[in-house]
Amino acid sequence: EAQVTQNPRYLITVTGKKLTVTCSQNMNHEYMSWYRQDPGLGLRQIYYSMNVEVTDKGDVPEGYKVSRKEKRNFPLILESPSPNQTSLYFCASSSTSGNTGELFFGEGSRLTVL
Amino acid sequence: GEDVEQSLFLSVREGDSSVINCTYTDSSSTYLYWYKQEPGAGLQLLTYIFSNMDMKQDQRLTVLLNKKDKHLSLRIADTQTGDSAIYFCAESRYNFNKFYFGSGTKLNVKP
C-alpha cells in the first residue's frame, strides 16, 4: 500500500530535549516536505527537499533541521524544542514527474513541549 | 498562510449543496487544490484545477476559478454526513517547491 509513515504519532517532551520525528514514504517520490498545523493558521511549510541531499527552507524553518540522506526518509529534527513548537506536524511527499503537485500526507505527529 | 484565506466554518443540512470559498494572492500560481482532512487523519487531495481553467467537475464536486478576482470555490452537491471534515484550499508556487494552504473550513453536515 502506498503510504507516508510518521513516527511518533504522539509525543510529550520537555523544553530543550532533542527529538526527531521520522518520515518515510514507499512511493519513490523525489519531493518531500514538512508542515506544521496550528489552529486558525492552516498548514505552514517548514522545510522541503527536491531530492537526496537537496533541502531548502519553507516559511517557518526556525528551530528545525532536516536531512535527506536517502530518498525514502526525511526526518525532522528539533535540536532544542520550545513550547511554541507545540503543534501537529505533517510530512508529505510528491512525485516530480508528470506533475500536478499532488501531495501525499502522513497521518500527523502531535507534539507537546512543556 | 501567505494570504490564502478561507472562512472557518460552514454548516449545511444533509442533501443540500455546500459551497466553500477561498481567495489567494499570487497570480502566478500554476495549480490550485482542495484537500480534505478527516478527524485524526492527514490531508487527502480531493481535486485540483490548473490555472488556465475556469471550471472543473468531478462527480459531486465542482471547482470554479475566477483568476481576475483570485477566487476559488468548491461546491459539493447533495452533501452527506460523510462529507463532514475540514477542507483546505492550497496553491503551488515556484514549480511545485512551495505550497500555501488556507486555514481550513470546517464543514458540519446536519442530518
Side-chain angles (χ1 to χ4, degrees):
Chain A
E1 181 192 350
Q3 57 187 4
V4 178
T5 304
Q6 298 178 225
N7 278 297
R9 294 288 313 281
Y10 302 91
L11 179 63
I12 300 174
T13 190
V14 295
T15 298
K17 187 176 181 182
K18 180 180 178 180
L19 69 92
T20 299
V21 186
T22 63
C23 175
S24 181
Q25 50 94 6
N26 63 0
M27 294 169 279
N28 201 37
H29 284 166
E30 297 82 9
Y31 179 92
M32 297 184 75
S33 59
W34 276 102
Y35 298 83
R36 58 179 288 172
Q37 182 180 12
D38 300 293
L41 296 177
L43 274 75
R44 293 178 293 167
Q45 191 172 38
I46 303 171
Y47 269 95
Y48 65 94
S49 169
M50 292 301 293
N51 216 321
V52 175
E53 303 290 4
V54 181
T55 63
D56 208 346
K57 295 177 181 178
D59 294 307
V60 288
E62 296 78 19
Y64 304 95
K65 282 174 54 176
V66 292
S67 69
R68 188 93 182 271
K69 293 186 170 57
E70 304 162 285
K71 197 172 186 179
R72 62 185 292 126
N73 294 324
F74 190 45
L76 180 70
I77 303 154
L78 286 73
E79 293 270 3
S80 183
S82 62
N84 65 10
Q85 293 178 296
T86 292
S87 189
L88 179 59
Y89 291 86
F90 287 100
C91 179
S93 71
S94 179
S95 171
T96 56
S97 57
N99 214 356
T100 61
E102 177 181 1
L103 291 168
F104 292 83
F105 282 86
E107 292 188 310
S109 297
R110 187 169 289 282
L111 172 65
T112 302
V113 184
L114 302 175
Chain B
E2 288 281 334
D3 300 321
V4 179
E5 296 189 351
Q6 305 176 234
S7 54
L8 291 181
F9 300 102
L10 177 65
S11 185
V12 301
R13 292 214 171 272
E14 193 172 20
D16 288 349
S17 291
S18 307
V19 179
I20 302 172
N21 294 301
C22 169
T23 57
Y24 62 98
T25 56
D26 193 328
S27 56
S28 67
S29 296
T30 48
Y31 280 87
L32 296 127
Y33 310 86
W34 286 103
Y35 282 86
K36 178 183 180 182
Q37 184 183 32
E38 299 192 8
L43 282 70
Q44 281 194 302
L45 182 69
L46 264 185
T47 187
Y48 64 89
I49 188 166
F50 188 48
S51 57
N52 69 353
M53 297 169 65
D54 298 323
M55 185 181 92
K56 181 178 180 182
Q57 187 144 8
D58 184 1
Q59 298 183 353
R60 291 190 298 124
L61 306 178
T62 303
V63 178
L64 295 177
L65 175 60
N66 180 329
K67 284 197 74 175
K68 176 175 166 289
D69 295 337
K70 297 188 182 69
H71 183 266
L72 183 73
S73 68
L74 173 69
R75 178 177 180 269
I76 306 173
D78 187 24
T79 313
Q80 303 297 305
T81 53
D83 294 323
S84 292
I86 302 175
Y87 291 81
F88 290 91
C89 164
E91 57 172 336
S92 66
R93 302 181 198 170
Y94 310 114
N95 199 27
F96 302 116
N97 284 346
K98 290 196 167 187
F99 293 83
Y100 293 91
F101 287 79
S103 54
T105 299
K106 187 170 185 178
L107 175 64
N108 179 42
V109 182
K110 294 179 280 190

